[in-house]
Amino acid sequence: MDTQQDIKELLATMVGGEETRDAMFADTDSLEQGTKRLQDLLGQVPQTAIGDENFHSLFITTAGDMRVILLMIARSLAAMRRYNTEQPDATLVAEAASLYAPLAHKLGLYQVKTELEDLSLKYSEHDVYYHIAHELNQKKRERDAYIAKFVKTIDDRLQQTGLRYHIKQRTKSIHSIWQKMQKQHVDVDGVFDLFALRIILDSPHEREHADCWQVFSIITDMYTSNPKRMRDWLSKPKSNGYESLHITVLGPDERWVEVQIRTERMDDIAEHGLAAHWRYKGIKSTEGGIEAWLSNIRTALETGDKEPVTGLVEDEVFVFTPRGDLFRLAMGATVLDFAYAIHTQVGNHCTGAKIGNKNVTLRHKLQSGDHVEIQTSSNQSPKQDWLGIVTTGRARAKIRQSLKEAEAGQTTLAKELLERKMKNRKVEYSEPTLMHTIKRLGFKVVTDFYRAIAEEKIDINHVLETYQAQQRRERIFRSVRRTCILRRAAPSLARSLRKCW
């Protein structure tokens, strides 16, 4: 098949028909600009980065128009199909597995996702792929006989309910089996759930949930279920519209079998993703409908199967280290924020950065796609005004911690210096006398006094002179008190002396 024709057919499948496809992808110029931006981005990062979730977010942000994402997925699959007759490109194979398959999964395009993964495995791990395929083919007759036996038991029981339904079975994809083999450290024979049954109900909309839960109850009454493998996407559907109940039960001969329960409508959405989801909502291929559809695509891509935790992607920037490591930061983050995101010590000694061939300051605000080389110096240390430069909570907390530690260190050093000077001059140390001295020098907080010594803002010789003067006052005061004879006069005299010192 011609590659362009293959892409057109894939896009029609993704968006729910040729009419919608033609309406959505009419503006070819802007779409080509978007694909060029993404291709340029892919050329700037190492292969190890493209599977990172942060890079997926950057990829979506760079695309801007969500139709570009759909087009790139379709192009990737068309290229992978073409490799059946051509030598595969290792870079494109890696992108298909690590980038486009996960994006297709988020959109609910499970058939596209499965085909991308299987073809990627076929070209990247040729021997593994054909080993699994051979093992599956060898056991096909045995597997089909087991499934037929299992299905008949369930079918006999469900027929008694009066529900309208049909049962489909599918063998897990080769890529999925390979992942299970790696995770469980077993060969194909050791993977216990090689296939799944799908019970699809023909139920009116108002009866969908009730009928699904009825079948769930019947199946779990017949067979022991594994509660850890139960998935309820009925009560809370995925962001791409996916709804289903998944259970794994211990079938005949002590073999685990996955059973999926859904309705015809749910199955259509599961097979065709967001296109079917919006079709059931009555969205047509009008301009407003397309905008709503694309908005839902963005939501699905940004949140996946999880609740959003960091808001919209436009509120973030994605920047790279020189090695290609990708970091996600809040919009408005500076070079100093990035330095602290890498490591506390990198932040503490940061003097600036180089972006491209340009040197920038600590205050420079980062843009998505920047490749940032942090510059450091062993003589650099956190400053109080750095708190006004950073925007992220992590950086602010690390700066405060470093300032506090530095202050504690200064206090200790200044105290040791003062005590050493006193010892050299044979001056007796007294804590109360020192506290009076600090007050006389104009300091209300002891740590401010020691910081002033450490930063040489006050002459330590002046401190010692003031301290010794205070000692002399206290000696005079004590001497006068001892020589006071008149009991009544002594207190008033003491009060007068206190005013003097």
Side-chain angles (χ1 to χ4, degrees), residues 184-201:
Q184 299 168 17
H185 304 290
V186 296
D187 199 5
V188 182
D189 290 338
V191 178
F192 62 77
D193 53 347
L194 291 174
F195 56 87
L197 293 185
R198 191 172 294 161
I199 301 172
I200 302 170
L201 297 157

Side-chain angles (χ1 to χ4, degrees), residues 458-476:
I458 185 172
D459 185 356
I460 196 165
N461 292 318
H462 175 60
V463 173
L464 287 171
E465 290 169 2
T466 307
Y467 178 86
Q468 289 176 303
Q470 179 63 29
Q471 279 185 322
R472 287 193 293 273
R473 289 189 193 90
E474 291 178 356
R475 280 197 294 270
I476 293 170

Side-chain angles (χ1 to χ4, degrees), residues 434-457:
L434 181 61
M435 291 302 105
H436 282 109
T437 303
I438 292 171
K439 185 177 180 182
R440 183 169 290 279
L441 289 168
F443 294 98
K444 295 181 179 179
V445 181
V446 174
T447 53
D448 290 344
F449 165 70
Y450 284 120
R451 188 187 305 116
I453 292 177
E455 295 176 356
E456 298 182 354
K457 291 181 179 178

Side-chain angles (χ1 to χ4, degrees), residues 379-448:
N379 296 324
Q380 178 70 293
S381 62
K383 309 292 189 298
Q384 189 69 32
D385 64 351
W386 282 16
L387 292 170
I389 295 175
V390 296
T391 63
T392 61
R394 172 186 168 84
R396 197 170 285 115
K398 293 298 182 183
I399 293 169
R400 287 198 179 106
Q401 180 184 351
S402 296
L403 290 173
K404 188 175 181 181
E405 290 173 354
E407 182 177 283
Q410 282 184 330
T411 299
T412 302
L413 289 173
K415 193 170 184 180
E416 289 176 354
L417 175 64
L418 181 59
E419 289 176 356
R420 189 165 58 251
K421 287 281 187 180
M422 286 182 173
K423 188 176 181 180
N424 290 340
R425 294 193 184 187
K426 298 185 173 152
V427 175
E428 181 184 355
Y429 176 81
S430 167
E431 188 75 20
T433 303
L434 181 61
M435 291 302 105
H436 282 109
T437 303
I438 292 171
K439 185 177 180 182
R440 183 169 290 279
L441 289 168
F443 294 98
K444 295 181 179 179
V445 181
V446 174
T447 53
D448 290 344

